[in-house]
């Protein structure tokens, strides 16, 4: 419950900072908002533990691809596809997972830092875990599905005309 509350507070803070920065931007007369597209590839490292108490932690390693399109005044859609794998998490059992999420994204340019963009997003979708052992009321199975959610934002810093580096997410 505390992690949900902390996540909500962080999301609200990021949204307020984004809206405050956007409110300070001066509109340029005769200038229309351009649509944009961004694509990101990241390496993911997630620390996890089997549900039993006293079991050691393991690291789920993988990657993700993020794509977003801004279409109107900073508003747009974002999509995230990610996957991960951990070998021998317990007694020779491995774990693999794939997730796909999509949702709204708001992006704005920071007027103080001319090459910097701030974005906030809320992505929702599903995750599928497989090649492992999952308990169910009817016994065990090798796959499991669940709801997934990613709330947050980040900072992109432009280093060339059509290339930015994600400094923070």
């Amino acid at each position: 419950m505390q992690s949900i509350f902390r996540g909500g507070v962080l999301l609200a803070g990021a949204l307020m900072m984004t809206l405050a920065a956007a409110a300070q931007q001066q509109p340029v007369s005769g200038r229309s908002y351009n649509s944009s597209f961004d694509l990101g590839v990241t390496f993911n490292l997630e620390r996890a533990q089997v549900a039993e108490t006293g079991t050691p932690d393991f690291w789920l390693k993988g990657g993700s691809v993020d794509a977003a399109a801004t279409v109107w005044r900073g508003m747009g859609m974002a999509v995230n596809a990610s996957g991960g794998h951990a070998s021998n998490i317990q007694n020779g059992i491995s774990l693999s997972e794939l997730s796909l999420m999509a949702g709204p994204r708001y992006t704005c340019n920071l007027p103080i830092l001319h090459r910097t963009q701030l974005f906030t997003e809320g992505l929702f979708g599903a995750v599928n875990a497989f090649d492992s052992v999952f308990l169910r009321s009817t016994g065990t199975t090798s796959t499991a599905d669940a709801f997934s959610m990613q709330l947050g934002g980040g900072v992109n810093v432009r280093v060339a005309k059509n290339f930015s580096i994600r400094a923070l997410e």
Side-chain angles (χ1 to χ4, degrees):
M1 185 69 167
Q2 280 183 330
S3 63
I4 293 172
F5 177 74
R6 275 186 269 178
V9 169
L10 289 173
L11 177 63
L15 184 60
M16 284 185 221
M17 288 187 325
T18 302
L19 293 175
Q24 295 176 15
Q25 290 181 349
Q26 297 294 323
V28 178
S29 60
R31 178 178 166 195
S32 63
Y33 287 87
N34 294 333
S35 60
S36 67
F37 179 79
D38 75 59
L39 180 68
V41 178
T42 58
F43 171 74
N44 297 338
L45 188 62
E46 179 182 347
R47 183 177 174 193
Q49 184 177 22
V50 177
E52 292 179 24
T53 57
T55 58
D57 297 345
F58 62 92
W59 291 92
L60 200 63
K61 300 168 204 78
S64 67
V65 176
D66 297 297
T70 304
V71 292
W72 183 73
R73 296 187 181 244
M75 293 301 298
M77 290 296 292
V79 175
N80 174 282
S82 65
H85 177 75
S87 297
N88 198 23
I89 60 174
Q90 185 179 21
N91 299 329
I93 298 171
S94 298
L95 173 66
S96 298
E97 72 174 18
L98 294 173
S99 69
L100 181 62
M101 296 176 282
R105 176 187 275 190
Y106 179 74
T107 305
C108 70
N109 294 321
L110 294 177
I112 297 171
L113 304 169
H114 300 289
R115 296 176 170 256
T116 306
Q117 285 187 325
L118 180 68
F119 69 89
T120 184
E121 64 188 5
L123 305 179
F124 307 91
V127 63
N128 175 260
F130 54 96
D131 292 338
S132 196
V133 177
F134 302 97
L135 296 176
R136 292 206 175 155
S137 59
T138 59
T140 61
T141 183
S142 63
T143 64
D145 299 311
F147 172 76
S148 63
M149 175 174 60
Q150 181 177 326
L151 305 174
V155 177
N156 293 331
V157 179
R158 186 168 35 108
V159 294
K161 182 179 178 182
N162 292 318
F163 186 77
S164 295
I165 292 176
R166 179 140 313 146
L168 181 67
E169 183 173 20

